[in-house]
Amino acid sequence: MPGIWILRIGHRPQRDKRVTTHVALSSRALGASGIFVDTEDRTLEENVKSVTDRFGGDFRIETGIQWKKMLKEFDGEVVHLTMYGQRVDEAMPKISRDRDLLIVVGAEKVPFEVYQAADHNISVGNQPHSEIAALAIFLDRFTDGKNLYSDRDGQMTVIPNERGKTVVEKHT
Ligand code: SAM
């Protein structure tokens, strides 16, 4: 199955640490294969790896990547999420399901080069909101909601519970 990759650009380690962590965790939870972050940030890498180690799956994180090079060399389709883009419902059928997908989200102002490099500039509504919300809605729609409860075979598995918390821990 083709991979879904996230490219986070404009990450400022001090200011964006929570937001970028949540971009990574939401991407993982919603079925992405991994995330690439432009600025090097070892703490971010460790935090995300620690969640993957406990909750399972193969989520890759790399920081300190050259985003322009990645956009140029990526073998697949590139989607850029932006409030200025075309409607997500209209764009969705145009995205290939047979090739890897790279989804770009920004932090502050996104350079125009990204708009030009993307195969699809897509909005999730035309109101300004958040990269976490945009990505979550996009991924959920792109995967038809299939990853919300998919099994990751982790050390820890949460069992849905109407009231309390049920966590099953695997002992190896
Ligand atoms: N003002 C910035 C700009 O002009 O690029 C946007 C900053 S916004 C806080 C951070 C990121 O959230 C954007 O780069 C975009 O990826 C995403 N985003 C925010 N609102 C969006 C929307 N309505 N649709 C799609 N993506 C959105």
Side-chain angles (χ1 to χ4, degrees), residues 28 46-57 152-157 168-170:
R28 176 188 165 275
E46 279 160 24
N47 290 341
V48 172
K49 278 181 184 152
S50 140
V51 172
T52 306
D53 288 345
R54 283 175 291 138
F55 288 90
R152 312 294 163 98
D153 194 26
Q155 284 298 319
M156 299 173 75
T157 302
V168 176
E169 276 195 61
K170 223 191 253 174

Side-chain angles (χ1 to χ4, degrees), residues 7 11 32 34 37 41 48 59 70-71 103 113 116-117 151 159:
L7 173 59
H11 170 67
V37 180
D41 188 337
V48 172
F59 188 76
M70 172 161 272
L71 281 182
I103 307 169
E113 280 164 276
Q116 287 170 315
D151 184 16
I159 310 294

